[in-house]
C-alpha cells in the first residue's frame, strides 16, 4: 500500500521494539504457531459489526481483537480510495475507518487494564517463585548434606569391606561381601544422580527468576509507552469525530438526492408501463373502429342501392297511376264501357295506392336507417381521429422511451466499467496471494478410517468457514485462511469462491491458481475433477466455461476476444510440451532427462514482466469443445505412476495457460489477461511411498522443486532482497505470479487420514507462510496497439 503523509497520527513510541520477534511477553499474536498471520488479525477488525448511531461495542467485544504495530500504523495511514467526486464512497470508507479506529482505541484501553492485571499477577508469581526457590534451595542443601553423610559412610564401609575382602578371600563369605559392595556402589551412583538432578532444578529455578524479573521490567516499560500512545490516539480520535460530523451531513444530503432520484425513476417506469398498455389498447380500438367503419360503409352503400330501387319503383308506380287516372278519365268519358271494367280499375287503383303507401313507409324507414348510419359514421370518424391523436402521442412517447433506453444502455456500459474497477479493487483489498484450504473425504482405502478424526472445524463467529484445527499426538494446531472447505464441499461451491478471480482474467489481469498438498490429498480432483460427470467437473473446466460465457455476453458491448492455450509439465526438472504433435517415446524421454538429446525448452522474461517458453505449442481456441479435447490429450500425455500412497500419483507439475486478448470496437480499448491453472505434484515421504528406481528419482525431483518453492515463499515473507527464483524451473516459470503483479490463489489440499497428520501439518504451515506474503499490486494490461500473438505466462 502506498504511503500517505496527510493527517498522519503520532507514531507509537514502541514502534522499533514491536514486531513478530520483539514482543515475547504475552505471545498474544502467535503468528507462526496459530497460522493466522498479521493480515488475518487485521481483517478481523474489518468485519466487526459496528453501527453508525451506536458505540463501537463493549470492551469485552473489543478484547477479542488484537493489534500489532504494523496493523495500527496501517489503520492510521489508511485513507479513502474513492474518486475525487465519489462523495458517497468516500463517506462510507471514512465511516469504516473511524469504526475500526474506535475498536483500536477500545482495545488499547483494555490492553492497559490487562497489562496492569498481568503486572500484578507477575509480581505475585515472582514472589511465589522466590519462595519456591528458597524452599527448594533449603531442601537441596539438606539433601546434599544427607547425601554427603551417606557418601562418607559408604566410603568408610568400602574401606572396611576392602579389609574384610583381603582377609576372607578364600572364605565363602567373600561372595556375600562382594554383592554388598556392589549394592552400596549402585546406591552411591543413584545418590549422585539425585544430587545432579537437584542441581539442575536449582539452576532452572534461578533462570525462571531472572526471566520473571526481565518480564516485569519490559511490562512496566510497555505500560508507560502504551499510556503515551493512548493519549495521542485520543487526540487523533477527537479530530476524526469532527471530520465524521461533516461527512455525515454530506451523506444525509446524498441519501436525500438518491431517494428522490429513485422515486422519480419508479414513477417514470410506472408511467412508461401504463403508456405502453394504453398504446396497445388504442391500437386494438383503432383496428376495431376501422373494421366497424368498413362494415358501416358497406351497409350504407347497400341501403342507398335499396333506396334508389324503391325510388325507381315509386316513380314507376306514380307514372303508372297517372296513366291509370288518364285511362279512368277516358273510361268515364266513355259511358258505354262496362261497370265491370270500372270495378277492376278501381280495385287496381286501390291496390296501387296501398302499394304506394307501403313504399312511402319503407322509404321513411330507410331514411331513418340512413340517418342512424350517418351518425355512426360520424362517431367512427371521431373515434378514428381520436385514436390517431393518441397514436401520435404514444409514438412520441415511444421515441422518448427509446432515447431513455439508449441512455440507460450507455449508463449500463459505464456501470460495467465501474463494476470491473470495484471488483478488482475488492480482490486487491483481500490480498494479492490468497489461500484456500480443502479437506478431502475419508476414503475406504485410508488406513486410519476407524480411528478418531484429526481434522476439526471451529464454530466461533470469527473462524467459521475460515478456520481448521489439526490434532496430532494430542496437540491441537489451529490455522486460519481466507476460506476453508470441509469434506462435504462440492465442486460447484469451491468454484463459486474463485469465479470472481477468473473474471479478472477477462478484465485484463494476470491470474494464477495452483493446488498444493501431499500425494493423494485431492489436488488433481480439485483442478480437473471428472469431466465426464457435470457435477464433478474441476476448476479448470468450469473456469473455461465461465470465460467463454462471459466473453459472449460482453460481445453485446462491443468486445471481441481472442484466446490461446498451451499446456506443459515439469518432469524431473525438464519441461515437456503436452500438446506437441510429435509424441516422445519412452527412450527419448530418458535421453531428454539425462540431457543427451531431445528438444530443449527455455524460459525467458521480457522487460514488461511477461514470461515465454521457447518452441512451445500454442493453439487458438474459440469454443469449449476445442479446449476439452486439448485437456483430454494433455491428461493422456501427463506422467503418472503408482505408489503405496496413491494408485495414480501425478509425477510432474502440470501448467495450463490461457492468454486472453480483448478489443472493444466502440472504445478502441484493448486488454490482455493471462490465466494460469497449475496442478503441482504431491509432496511425499519415501518411508510411506516406498518409491524405488525411477519413482525414487521422480520423488527426489518433486521434493526438490517444492523445497525451492518453499524457499521462495519464505524469502518473500521475510521481504529479503534476493529471492531464489532460479533454483528450480517451477519457481522460475512462476516468478511473475509469485513476485510480480499477478493475482494469485493457492489451494492447500489435506487428507483427514490420521496416518498423514504429519504431512498435513507441514502443508498447513507452508500455506500459512504463503498467506502472510505480500507481493506487488496487480496491474491491468491495457494497450492501444496490436497485441503480441505469442503466449506468455504472466
Amino acid at each position: 500500500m502506498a504511503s500517505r503523509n496527510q493527517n498522519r497520527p503520532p507514531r507509537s513510541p514502541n514502534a522499533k521494539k514491536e514486531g513478530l520477534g520483539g514482543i515475547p511477553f504475552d505471545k498474544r499474536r502467535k503468528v507462526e504457531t496459530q497460522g493466522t498471520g498479521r493480515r488475518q488479525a487485521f481483517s478481523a477488525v474489518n468485519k466487526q459489526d459496528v453501527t453508525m448511531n451506536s458505540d463501537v461495542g463493549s470492551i469485552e467485544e473489543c478484547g477479542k481483537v488484537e493489534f500489532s504495530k504494523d496493523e495500527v500504523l496501517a489503520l492510521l495511514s489508511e485513507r479513502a480510495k474513492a474518486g475525487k467526486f465519489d462523495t458517497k464512497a468516500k463517506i462510507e470508507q471514512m465511516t469504516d475507518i473511524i469504526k475500526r479506529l474506535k475498536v483500536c482505541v477500545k482495545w488499547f484501553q483494555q490492553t492497559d487494564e490487562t497489562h496492569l492485571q498481568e503486572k500484578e499477577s507477575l509480581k505475585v508469581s515472582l514472589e511465589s517463585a522466590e519462595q519456591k526457590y528458597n524452599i527448594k534451595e533449603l531442601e537441596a542443601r539438606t539433601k546434599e548434606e544427607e547425601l554427603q553423610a551417606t557418601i562418607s559412610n559408604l566410603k568408610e564401609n568400602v574401606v572396611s569391606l576392602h579389609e574384610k575382602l583381603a582377609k576372607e578371600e578364600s572364605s565363602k563369605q567373600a561372595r556375600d561381601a562382594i554383592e554388598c559392595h556392589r549394592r552400596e556402589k549402585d546406591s552411591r551412583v543413584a545418590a549422585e544422580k539425585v544430587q545432579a538432578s537437584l542441581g539442575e532444578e536449582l539452576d532452572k529455578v534461578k533462570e525462571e527468576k531472572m526471566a520473571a524479573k526481565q518480564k516485569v521490567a519490559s511490562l512496566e516499560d510497555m505500560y508507560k509507552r502504551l499510556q503515551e500512545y493512548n493519549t495521542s490516539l485520543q487526540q487523533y480520535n477527537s479530530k476524526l469525530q469532527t471530520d465524521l460530523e461533516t461527512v455525515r451531513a454530506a451523506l444525509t444530503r446524498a441519501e436525500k438526492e438518491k431517494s428522490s432520484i429513485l422515486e422519480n425513476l419508479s414513477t417514470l417506469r410506472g408511467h412508461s408501463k401504463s403508456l405502453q398498455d394504453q398504446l396497445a389498447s388504442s391500437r386494438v380500438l383503432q383496428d376495431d373502429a376501422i373494421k366497424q367503419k368498413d362494415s358501416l360503409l358497406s351497409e350504407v352503400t347497400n341501403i342507398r342501392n335499396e333506396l334508389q330501387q324503391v325510388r325507381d319503383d315509386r316513380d314507376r308506380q306514380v307514372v303508372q297511376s297517372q296513366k291509370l287516372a288518364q285511362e279512368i278519365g277516358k273510361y268515364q268519358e266513355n259511358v258505354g264501357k262496362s261497370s265491370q271494367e270500372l270495378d277492376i280499375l278501381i280495385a287496381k287503383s286501390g291496390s296501387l295506392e296501398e302499394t304506394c303507401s307501403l313504399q312511402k313507409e319503407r322509404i321513411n324507414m330507410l331514411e331513418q336507417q340512413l340517418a342512424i348510419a350517418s351518425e355512426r359514421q360520424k362517431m367512427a370518424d371521431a373515434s378514428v381521429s381520436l385514436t390517431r391523436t393518441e397514436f401520435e402521442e404514444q409514438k412520441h412517447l415511444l421515441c422518448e422511451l427509446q432515447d431513455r433506453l439508449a441512455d440507460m444502455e450507455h449508463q449500463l456500459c459505464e456501470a460495467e466499467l465501474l463494476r470491473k474497477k470495484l471488483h478488482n479493487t475488492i480482490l486487491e483489498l483481500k490480498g494479492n496471494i490468497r489461500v484456500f484450504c480443502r479437506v478431502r473425504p475419508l476414503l475406504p482405502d485410508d488406513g486410519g478410517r476407524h480411528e478418531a478424526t484429526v481434522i476439526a472445524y471451529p464454530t466461533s463467529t470469527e473462524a467459521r468457514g475460515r478456520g481448521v484445527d489439526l490434532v496430532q499426538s494430542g496437540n491441537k494446531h489451529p490455522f486460519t485462511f481466507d476460506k476453508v472447505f470441509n469434506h462435504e464441499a462440492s465442486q460447484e461451491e469451491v468454484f463459486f469462491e474463485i469465479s470472481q478471480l477468473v473474471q479478472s482474467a477477462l478484465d485484463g489481469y494476470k491470474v494464477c491458481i495452483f493446488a498444493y498438498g501431499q500425494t493423494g490429498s485431492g489436488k488433481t480432483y480439485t483442478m480437473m475433477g471428472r469431466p465426464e460427470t457435470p457435477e464433478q467437473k474441476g476448476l479448470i473446466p468450469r473456469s473455461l466455461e465461465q470465460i467463454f460465457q462471459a466473453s459472449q455476453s460482453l460481445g453485446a458491448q462491443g468486445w471481441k476476444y481472442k484466446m490461446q492455450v498451451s499446456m506443459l509439465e515439469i518432469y524431473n526438472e525438464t519441461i515437456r510440451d503436452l500438446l506437441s504433435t510429435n509424441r516422445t517415446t519412452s527412450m527419448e524421454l530418458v535421453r531428454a532427462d539425462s540431457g543427451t538429446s531431445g528438444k530443449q525448452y527455455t524460459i525467458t522474461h521480457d522487460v514488461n514482466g511477461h514470461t515465454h517458453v521457447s518452441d512451445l505449442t500454442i493453439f487458438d481456441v474459440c469454443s469449449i469443445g476445442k479446449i476439452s479435447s486439448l485437456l483430454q490429450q494433455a491428461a493422456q500425455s501427463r506422467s503418472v505412476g503408482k505408489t503405496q500412497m496413491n494408485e495414480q500419483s501425478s509425477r510432474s507439475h502440470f501448467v495450463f495457460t490461457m492468454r486472453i486478448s480483448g478489443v472493444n470496437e466502440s472504445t478502441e480499448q484493448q486488454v490482455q489477461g493471462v490465466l494460469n491453472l497449475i496442478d503441482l505434484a504431491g509432496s511425499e515421504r519415501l518411508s510411506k511411498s516406498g518409491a524405488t528406481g525411477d519413482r525414487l528419482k521422480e520423488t527426489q525431483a518433486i521434493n526438490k522443486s517444492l523445497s525451492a518453492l518453499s524457499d521462495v515463499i519464505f524469502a518473500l515473507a521475510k521481504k529479503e532482497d534476493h529471492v531464489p527464483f532460479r533454483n528450480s524451473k517451477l519457481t522460475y516459470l512462476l516468478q511473475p505470479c509469485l513476485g510480480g503483479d499477478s493475482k494469485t490463489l493457492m489451494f492447500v489440499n489435506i487428507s483427514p487420514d490420521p496416518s498423514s497428520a504429519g504431512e498435513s501439518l507441514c502443508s498447513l504451515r507452508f500455506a500459512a507462510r504463503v498467506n502472510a506474503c505480500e507481493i506487488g499490486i496487480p496491474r491491468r494490461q491495457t494497450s492501444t496497439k496490436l497485441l503480441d500473438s505469442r503466449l506468455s505466462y504472466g
Side-chain angles (χ1 to χ4, degrees):
M1 181 183 295
S3 62
R4 300 176 177 85
N5 297 323
Q6 297 178 354
N7 298 328
R8 182 181 294 277
R11 287 185 172 272
S12 172
N14 57 351
K16 295 183 179 179
K17 296 183 179 181
E18 292 183 356
L20 293 177
I23 309 179
F25 63 91
D26 59 352
K27 300 183 180 179
R28 62 179 180 274
R29 294 171 184 85
K30 298 182 181 179
V31 176
E32 295 183 1
T33 59
Q34 295 184 1
T36 56
R38 295 182 182 175
R39 184 158 55 82
Q40 286 73 24
F42 187 59
S43 62
V45 181
N46 296 334
K47 296 183 179 179
Q48 293 294 324
D49 187 9
V50 185
T51 58
M52 286 288 292
N53 298 323
S54 63
D55 198 356
V56 177
S58 63
I59 298 177
E60 289 79 1
E61 294 177 353
C62 297
K64 299 177 182 178
V65 183
E66 298 177 354
F67 294 85
S68 65
K69 173 243 181 182
D70 296 335
E71 293 165 359
V72 174
L73 292 179
L75 179 60
L76 294 175
S77 61
E78 187 173 357
R79 294 295 179 270
K81 299 180 181 179
K84 183 177 181 182
F85 301 100
D86 195 353
T87 308
K88 183 177 178 181
K90 284 185 178 179
I91 292 170
E92 292 177 353
Q93 295 175 5
M94 288 298 296
T95 306
D96 182 65
I97 293 171
I98 292 171
K99 290 177 186 177
R100 288 182 274 142
L101 281 172
K102 287 183 178 181
V103 175
C104 183
V105 172
K106 291 288 184 180
W107 178 78
F108 271 109
Q109 292 176 355
Q110 187 191 8
T111 305
D112 295 340
E113 298 175 0
T114 306
H115 288 168
L116 289 174
Q117 296 174 359
E118 289 180 354
K119 183 178 179 181
E120 295 296 330
S121 63
L122 285 173
K123 286 182 179 179
V124 174
S125 62
L126 179 61
E127 293 175 357
S128 63
E130 289 178 351
Q131 293 177 359
K132 290 180 181 179
Y133 169 73
N134 294 329
I135 293 170
K136 287 186 177 181
E137 190 175 7
L138 291 174
E139 292 177 353
R141 287 178 181 176
T142 56
K143 287 183 179 181
E144 187 176 2
E145 291 175 355
E146 292 176 356
L147 290 172
Q148 290 292 339
T150 303
I151 290 170
S152 61
N153 293 329
L154 290 173
K155 287 181 178 179
E156 293 175 356
N157 292 331
V158 168
V159 172
S160 63
L161 286 173
H162 277 295
E163 292 176 354
K164 289 179 181 180
L165 182 63
K167 293 177 181 180
E168 299 178 356
E169 286 181 352
S170 60
S171 65
K172 296 181 180 179
Q173 297 178 353
R175 295 180 181 177
D176 297 331
I178 291 171
E179 291 294 331
C180 182
H181 172 69
R182 288 178 180 176
R183 286 195 296 271
E184 289 176 352
K185 185 177 181 180
D186 293 336
S187 62
R188 184 181 64 183
V189 172
E192 289 177 355
K193 290 182 179 179
V194 171
Q195 183 181 6
S197 63
L198 288 175
E200 291 176 357
E201 290 181 0
L202 183 62
D203 294 336
K204 289 181 180 179
V205 171
K206 289 181 180 180
E207 291 176 359
E208 290 177 357
K209 181 179 179 182
M210 294 299 294
K213 288 182 179 180
Q214 293 177 358
K215 200 170 186 180
V216 169
S218 64
L219 280 173
E220 289 177 352
D221 186 22
M222 179 62 68
Y223 177 70
K224 292 179 182 179
R225 287 186 270 113
L226 284 175
Q227 283 184 340
E228 296 174 358
Y229 192 61
N230 190 18
T231 304
S232 62
L233 280 177
Q234 289 178 354
Q235 295 175 356
Y236 186 67
N237 188 21
S238 61
K239 182 179 180 181
L240 288 177
Q241 288 291 341
T242 56
D243 295 338
L244 177 61
E245 295 299 329
T246 57
V247 168
R248 282 179 178 173
L251 177 61
T252 304
R253 292 195 298 271
E255 289 292 334
K256 290 181 180 179
E257 293 177 358
K258 178 183 176 182
S259 60
S260 62
I261 291 172
L262 291 175
E263 290 176 357
N264 293 333
L265 181 60
S266 61
T267 53
L268 287 173
R269 287 177 177 173
H271 186 58
S272 173
K273 186 175 181 182
S274 62
L275 288 176
Q276 288 179 354
D277 296 337
Q278 291 178 5
L279 177 60
S281 60
S282 299
R283 287 178 176 173
V284 173
L285 290 174
Q286 183 181 4
D287 295 335
D288 294 337
I290 291 172
K291 292 179 181 178
Q292 188 177 5
K293 179 182 177 182
D294 295 334
S295 63
L296 289 174
L297 288 174
S298 61
E299 187 177 356
V300 168
T301 304
N302 295 331
I303 293 172
R304 285 178 178 175
N305 293 331
E306 292 178 359
L307 181 61
Q308 186 65 32
Q309 291 177 1
V310 170
R311 286 177 179 174
D312 295 337
D313 293 339
R314 186 191 63 180
D315 293 338
R316 286 196 300 272
Q317 293 293 334
V318 170
V319 172
Q320 190 175 3
S321 63
Q322 289 177 357
K323 290 180 179 179
L324 290 173
Q326 291 176 1
E327 289 179 356
I328 290 171
K330 290 180 180 178
Y331 286 138
Q332 289 177 355
E333 290 178 356
N334 297 323
V335 181
K337 293 181 179 179
S338 62
S339 59
Q340 187 178 2
E341 292 178 357
L342 182 59
D343 293 334
I344 292 171
L345 291 174
I346 291 171
K348 288 182 179 180
S349 177
S351 64
L352 289 173
E353 288 178 357
E354 289 177 0
T355 302
C356 185
S357 63
L358 290 174
Q359 293 293 336
K360 287 181 179 179
E361 290 177 358
R362 189 175 180 184
I363 288 170
N364 292 330
M365 184 177 66
L366 291 174
E367 287 179 351
Q368 291 176 359
Q369 292 179 357
L370 180 61
I372 293 171
S374 300
E375 291 179 357
R376 288 182 179 178
Q377 184 178 1
K378 291 179 181 179
M379 292 175 63
D381 293 337
S383 177
V384 169
S385 62
L386 181 61
T387 304
R388 286 180 179 175
T389 304
E390 292 180 353
F391 176 73
E392 293 296 333
E393 293 177 355
Q394 295 294 336
K395 187 177 180 180
H396 181 68
L397 182 60
L398 181 62
C399 293
E400 292 181 355
L401 292 175
Q402 289 177 349
D403 294 338
R404 290 183 183 178
L405 180 61
D407 294 337
M408 290 296 180
E409 289 178 351
H410 180 67
Q411 293 178 5
L412 179 63
C413 295
E414 294 180 350
E416 178 66 19
L417 295 175
L418 181 61
R419 181 201 64 78
K420 291 181 180 179
K421 183 178 180 181
L422 295 177
H423 160 69
N424 290 291
T425 303
I426 290 172
L427 292 182
E428 291 171 11
L429 293 176
K430 287 182 178 179
N432 295 332
I433 297 185
R434 303 173 63 198
V435 177
F436 288 175
C437 176
R438 188 179 190 185
V439 182
R440 72 161 173 83
L442 197 63
L443 302 178
D445 297 335
D446 291 335
R449 59 183 180 277
H450 299 299
E451 301 179 14
T453 179
V454 297
I455 301 297
Y457 306 98
T459 58
S460 61
T461 304
E462 295 81 2
R464 185 182 292 115
R466 300 178 61 248
V468 60
D469 298 337
L470 189 142
V471 180
Q472 184 189 26
S473 302
N475 297 325
K476 181 180 178 182
H477 303 278
F479 295 92
T480 304
F481 302 105
D482 294 287
K483 185 69 177 178
V484 174
F485 300 96
N486 59 20
H487 60 280
E488 297 177 351
S490 62
Q491 296 282 65
E492 183 178 0
E493 294 175 359
V494 174
F495 176 72
F496 177 77
E497 292 294 332
I498 70 161
S499 57
Q500 293 182 348
L501 192 63
V502 175
Q503 179 67 32
S504 297
L506 271 179
D507 296 340
Y509 287 85
K510 302 173 187 175
V511 177
C512 177
I513 302 174
F514 64 94
Y516 178 89
Q518 72 177 108
T519 297
S521 60
K523 300 182 302 301
T524 303
Y525 177 77
T526 299
M527 298 304 293
M528 295 298 298
R530 296 185 178 90
E532 63 276 5
T533 306
E535 294 80 7
Q536 296 186 1
K537 289 189 293 186
L539 300 184
I540 293 179
R542 292 177 185 269
S543 300
L544 300 177
E545 290 177 359
Q546 176 184 341
I547 285 177
F548 276 102
Q549 291 175 0
S551 62
Q552 291 176 0
S553 62
L554 290 174
Q557 301 179 14
W559 283 97
K560 290 185 178 180
Y561 290 93
K562 178 182 178 182
M563 301 175 190
Q564 298 175 325
V565 298
S566 70
M567 303 179 205
L568 61 86
E569 69 173 355
I570 301 177
Y571 176 79
N572 288 351
E573 286 299 308
T574 302
I575 296 177
R576 295 182 59 206
D577 187 359
L578 297 179
L579 299 181
S580 176
T581 56
N582 298 324
R583 304 309 310 145
T584 304
T585 64
S586 59
M587 293 301 296
E588 291 175 345
L589 180 59
V590 171
R591 289 196 299 271
D593 293 340
S594 60
T596 57
S597 64
K599 184 180 291 187
Q600 299 294 324
Y601 299 93
T602 58
I603 303 171
T604 58
H605 304 289
D606 58 18
V607 295
N608 297 322
H610 299 294
T611 301
H612 301 275
V613 178
S614 63
D615 299 328
L616 193 64
T617 304
I618 301 172
F619 281 95
D620 292 332
V621 292
C622 57
S623 65
I624 190 65
K626 177 66 174 177
I627 295 185
S628 299
S629 63
L630 294 177
L631 285 173
Q632 185 177 3
Q633 176 184 345
Q636 294 175 355
S637 303
R638 189 177 178 187
S639 301
V640 295
K642 180 179 179 181
T643 65
Q644 294 180 3
M645 298 181 65
N646 194 358
E647 288 291 332
Q648 290 185 343
S649 175
S650 300
R651 315 306 295 169
S652 64
H653 307 298
F654 172 72
V655 181
F656 172 90
T657 302
M658 171 180 278
R659 180 179 179 182
I660 304 169
S661 302
V663 179
N664 193 322
E665 295 179 350
S666 59
T667 61
E668 296 183 356
Q669 185 181 10
Q670 297 181 356
V671 296
Q672 184 178 10
V674 178
L675 178 63
N676 290 319
L677 302 173
I678 303 167
D679 179 17
L680 297 178
S683 60
E684 59 187 34
R685 297 185 181 180
L686 295 176
S687 59
K688 289 187 176 182
S689 64
T692 58
D694 293 338
R695 295 292 174 266
L696 176 60
K697 184 178 179 182
E698 293 168 355
T699 302
Q700 291 173 346
I702 291 170
N703 291 339
K704 180 181 178 182
S705 61
L706 294 178
S707 177
L709 179 62
S710 177
D711 294 339
V712 168
I713 293 298
F714 291 164
L716 290 173
K718 295 179 181 179
K719 295 183 179 180
E720 296 180 354
D721 295 335
H722 173 68
V723 180
F725 287 110
R726 293 181 176 270
N727 288 358
S728 171
K729 288 190 177 180
L730 174 64
T731 55
Y732 192 51
L733 182 66
L734 299 182
Q735 180 175 353
C737 304
L738 299 176
D741 53 2
S742 175
K743 295 183 178 182
T744 305
L745 169 67
M746 185 185 84
F747 269 95
V748 54
N749 297 79
I750 60 175
S751 170
D753 187 3
S755 62
S756 302
E759 194 69 21
S760 298
L761 181 61
C762 293
S763 298
L764 291 173
R765 286 174 175 170
F766 174 73
R769 286 275 191 174
V770 174
N771 206 16
C773 287
E774 296 179 1
I775 61 177
I777 299 175
R779 292 184 296 105
R780 189 181 183 193
Q781 302 293 323
T782 60
S783 175
T784 57
K785 299 179 180 179
L786 293 177
L787 298 175
D788 187 9
S789 61
R790 291 294 299 171
L791 180 66
S792 67
Y793 289 80

